[in-house]
């Protein structure tokens, strides 16, 4: 069985709460019509971390585990200030699209009569969330350098701060009767952003709605108790009146029930949820090669100013085609290149002879021409030597961005005593780096 992803959970947003939060929650479920199958139990025993859901009896694929009526969902529409949030919708627009839900949570958390209080009692303690945005900056840099996480966190923190001071705080100050002074805090807002990141759900758009903005996030009681595994055994289904969690695999008695949070690489899991799924459990793991790193590797191979200028011309051409950008990355999975078209086109344009590039640039409709090589992991050894060399040089540069090498990580992981002495954060960061480096080293072998 794959090593299970841990998700640190601690009872209650304030830590304490009811003497038995689970009993309070189950009683609330009955009142709101949230139907739990008699075959499942909300429990701290037998789960990978904190609260989870466990099978009391064996469950077959297709069996209903629980059904959540839409009235029990906590969203900007169902909260007690839903009318006000709807009227002020224009003023609450933001880059994230999460502000209305976050204001709903800020209001309900401090409202003594909030109908969701028993649900909040099962939330993790907000001051103990393990997202890297709460790590000291020095620790984040030291443990996660090269993984892409510190850069993502810096963007988050800047956006959260801007959103809070420009939209959220002015709204709360304009409605002092609805928001007590104790919820007017950037620190609490940041904690709730992390909570929404980790525990909310987004209803998928219908196929014909693909062009629309994504749906607003929702808090789904019971569904957010389930922990995550890439090889999950349950899935959330949406219908007009209910959200249903359905078994997708046989679940033996006493085994934990796992949902999936989506096809998530480990860097996304730690960034959004505060944990990783140790190698080789996360079959969705990826490693990034920054697009500008490929440019840097190509520049290393140029001789003289004319070749350098031609390389920049090739790069500008790729930018115009929207194949590359200053901030983008080529994404390599364990079994496939997720940005196949972008990487193939980039290798092709940067490696072709100068005369061929001139003709290529002048051609219209060249994008209809299929690349000679479909870029899968298994086909990489069959690529042209110049493509393989550029890809290899890019991987070597990428590996240099980490503080440690693969051998150091392997030694730490194989020494159980030393590994056990590492902090939670050190263990998660080690597993993250190791998974990425395994993918990059596989590429090194394939391009040799």
């Amino acid at each position: 069985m794959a090593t299970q992803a841990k998700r640190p959970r601690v009872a209650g947003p304030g830590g304490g709460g009811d003497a038995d939060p689970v009993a309070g929650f189950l009683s609330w479920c009955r009142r709101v019509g949230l139907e739990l199958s008699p075959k499942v139990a909300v429990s701290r025993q037998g789960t990978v971390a904190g609260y989870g859901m466990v099978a009391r009896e064996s469950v077959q694929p297709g069996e209903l585990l629980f059904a959540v009526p839409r009235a029990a969902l906590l969203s900007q529409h169902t909260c007690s200030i839903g009318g006000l949030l709807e009227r002020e919708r224009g003023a609450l627009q933001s880059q994230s699209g999460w502000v209305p839900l976050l204001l709903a949570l800020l209001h309900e958390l401090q409202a003594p009569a909030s109908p969701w209080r028993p649900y909040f009692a099962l939330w993790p303690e907000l001051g103990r969330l393990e997202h890297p945005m709460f790590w000291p900056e020095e620790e984040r840099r030291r443990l996660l350098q090269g993984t892409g996480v510190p850069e993502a966190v810096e963007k988050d923190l800047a956006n959260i701060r801007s959103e809070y001071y420009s939209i959220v705080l002015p709204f709360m100050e304009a409605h002092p009767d609805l928001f007590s002074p104790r919820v007017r805090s950037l620190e609490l807002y940041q904690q709730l952003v992390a909570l929404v990141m980790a525990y909310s759900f987004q209803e998928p758009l219908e196929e014909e709605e693909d062009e629309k903005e994504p749906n607003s996030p929702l808090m789904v009681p019971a569904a957010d108790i389930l922990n995550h595994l890439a090889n999950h055994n349950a899935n959330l289904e949406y219908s007009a009146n209910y959200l249903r969690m359905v078994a997708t695999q046989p679940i033996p008695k006493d085994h934990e029930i796992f949902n999936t949070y989506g096809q998530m690489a480990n860097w996304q899991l730690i960034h959004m949820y505060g944990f990783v799924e140790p190698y080789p459990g996360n079959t969705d793991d990826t490693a990034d090669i920054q697009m500008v790193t490929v440019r840097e590797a190509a520049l290393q191979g140029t001789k003289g100013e004319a070749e350098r200028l031609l390389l920049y011309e090739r790069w500008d051409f790729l930018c115009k085609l929207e194949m590359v950008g200053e901030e983008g990355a080529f994404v390599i999975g364990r079994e496939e290149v997720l940005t196949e078209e972008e990487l193939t086109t980039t290798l092709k344009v940067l490696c072709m002879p100068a005369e061929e590039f001139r003709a290529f640039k002048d051609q219209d409709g060249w994008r209809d021409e299929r690349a000679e090589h479909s870029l899968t992991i298994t086909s990489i050894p069959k690529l042209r030597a110049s493509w393989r060399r550029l890809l290899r040089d890019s991987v070597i540069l990428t590996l240099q961005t980490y503080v440690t090498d693969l051998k150091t990580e392997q030694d730490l992981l194989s020494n159980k005593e030393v590994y056990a002495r590492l902090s939670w954060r050190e263990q998660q960061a080690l597993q993250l780096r190791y998974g990425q480096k395994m993918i990059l080293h596989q590429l090194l072998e394939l391009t040799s």
Side-chain angles (χ1 to χ4, degrees):
M1 186 168 156
T3 313
Q4 295 157 340
K6 290 194 177 179
R7 178 183 190 182
R9 302 183 63 106
V10 208
D18 287 331
D20 185 355
V22 173
F25 175 70
L26 295 176
S27 169
W28 177 81
C29 288
R30 288 189 288 275
R31 285 200 305 278
V32 299
L34 197 163
E35 303 160 30
L36 281 167
S37 160
K39 291 189 174 186
V40 305
V42 176
S43 175
R44 278 181 175 281
Q45 277 70 50
T47 65
V48 293
Y51 289 113
M53 202 169 276
V54 176
R56 283 175 161 160
E57 301 172 33
S58 63
V59 174
Q60 295 310 308
E63 277 194 63
L64 179 70
L65 303 170
F66 57 84
V68 187
R70 284 192 177 265
L73 304 177
L74 175 45
S75 75
Q76 65 202 61
H77 306 295
T78 60
C79 70
S80 56
I81 58 167
L84 173 65
L85 294 174
E86 181 59 32
R87 286 194 300 279
E88 298 287 333
R89 187 171 53 174
L92 301 178
Q93 286 184 340
S94 69
Q95 195 179 346
S96 71
W98 293 4
V99 167
L101 175 62
L102 288 157
L103 283 165
L105 297 182
L106 285 163
H107 174 71
E108 295 296 338
L109 272 179
Q110 42 97 71
S114 173
W116 285 279
R117 287 197 84 67
Y119 162 56
F120 296 151
L122 291 198
W123 276 10
E125 190 177 332
L126 294 177
R128 295 182 62 180
L129 293 169
E130 277 289 2
H131 297 63
M133 70 164 74
F134 302 114
W135 301 9
E137 189 178 354
E138 178 280 324
E139 187 176 23
R140 196 162 58 229
R141 287 263 153 223
R142 176 168 49 84
L143 296 178
L144 300 173
Q145 184 179 316
T147 64
V149 176
E151 295 78 7
V153 168
E154 277 164 29
K155 278 187 191 166
D156 284 348
L157 292 175
N159 290 339
I160 289 166
R161 192 177 177 83
S162 162
E163 198 170 79
Y164 178 74
Y165 285 113
S166 64
I167 306 172
V168 176
L169 185 59
F171 184 83
M172 289 196 288
E173 286 174 338
H175 301 281
D177 52 323
L178 298 175
F179 297 95
S180 70
R182 70 187 177 91
V183 297
R184 290 181 226 163
S185 117
L186 175 61
E187 183 185 15
L188 175 60
Y189 187 70
Q190 186 179 323
Q191 290 167 348
L192 286 175
V193 168
L195 187 99
V196 168
M197 231 184 216
Y199 290 83
S200 69
F201 291 76
Q202 259 179 318
E203 190 158 359
L205 292 167
E206 299 293 331
E207 278 180 32
E208 62 272 15
E209 297 180 323
D210 278 350
E211 300 303 311
K212 273 178 62 180
E213 288 289 302
N215 284 313
S216 303
L218 310 158
M219 304 306 291
V220 185
D224 58 13
I225 290 170
L226 270 60
N227 288 305
H228 162 92
L229 209 55
N231 182 25
H232 55 287
N233 52 23
N235 194 42
L236 190 65
E237 296 178 355
Y238 296 81
S239 67
N241 300 316
Y242 285 89
L243 274 60
R244 293 180 170 85
M245 191 67 73
V246 176
T248 57
Q249 295 184 28
I251 307 171
K253 182 184 177 183
D254 296 331
H255 278 229
E256 186 167 359
I257 297 160
F258 290 97
N259 186 20
T260 173
Y261 304 160
Q263 290 182 303
M264 295 265 179
N266 271 341
W267 80 265
Q268 293 167 306
L269 284 176
I270 200 168
H271 172 221
M272 295 178 70
Y273 303 96
F275 70 84
V276 303
E277 197 175 340
Y279 187 86
N282 188 357
T283 47
D284 296 319
D285 205 8
T286 62
D288 286 359
I289 297 172
Q290 296 302 313
M291 290 172 170
V292 291
T293 301
V294 179
R295 182 180 67 193
E296 193 183 332
L299 278 168
Q300 287 179 352
T302 57
K303 300 179 192 73
E305 188 61 15
E307 280 192 20
R308 277 174 56 81
L309 289 171
L310 179 58
L311 189 108
Y312 278 112
E313 188 184 335
R314 295 172 191 251
W315 185 261
D316 290 343
F317 179 62
L318 287 165
C319 287
K320 199 177 86 185
L321 297 173
E322 298 182 348
M323 290 293 158
V324 297
E326 292 300 308
E327 289 196 340
F330 300 112
V331 184
I332 318 295
R334 297 245 297 260
E335 294 179 358
E336 60 181 333
V337 178
L338 277 69
T339 50
E340 178 193 354
E341 186 189 359
E342 292 84 350
L343 184 54
T344 306
T345 307
T346 299
L347 294 173
K348 179 177 185 173
V349 168
L350 295 183
C351 293
M352 60 175 50
E355 320 77 65
E356 195 180 329
F357 169 64
R358 295 269 176 244
F360 191 65
K361 193 179 170 185
D362 293 340
Q363 275 173 21
D364 282 333
W366 70 273
R367 281 215 276 187
D368 296 332
E369 173 195 319
R370 293 307 301 151
E372 310 91 300
H373 304 279
S374 171
L375 195 57
T376 62
I377 296 294
T378 49
S379 72
I380 284 171
K382 304 187 193 96
L383 294 177
R384 294 178 183 185
S386 59
W387 293 27
R388 287 202 315 274
R389 193 161 52 246
L390 177 54
L391 192 50
R392 182 181 174 77
D393 290 347
S394 304
V395 172
I396 290 168
L397 285 178
T398 300
L399 285 165
Q400 288 168 5
T401 64
Y402 296 90
V403 178
T404 50
D405 61 15
L406 184 66
K407 170 105 177 43
T408 307
E409 323 268 63
Q410 281 169 332
D411 291 347
L412 267 175
L413 284 165
S414 59
N415 188 328
K416 289 196 169 77
E417 282 178 32
V418 174
Y419 182 76
R421 288 199 297 271
L422 297 177
S423 70
W424 164 267
R425 291 172 182 180
E426 287 168 333
Q427 289 178 354
Q428 300 304 294
L430 171 60
Q431 295 283 0
L432 166 62
R433 298 189 309 259
Y434 180 70
Q436 289 184 344
K437 286 176 195 174
M438 288 297 283
I439 292 169
L440 292 168
H441 276 268
Q442 180 190 21
L443 260 188
L444 271 191
E445 286 174 29
L446 294 170
T447 51
S448 295

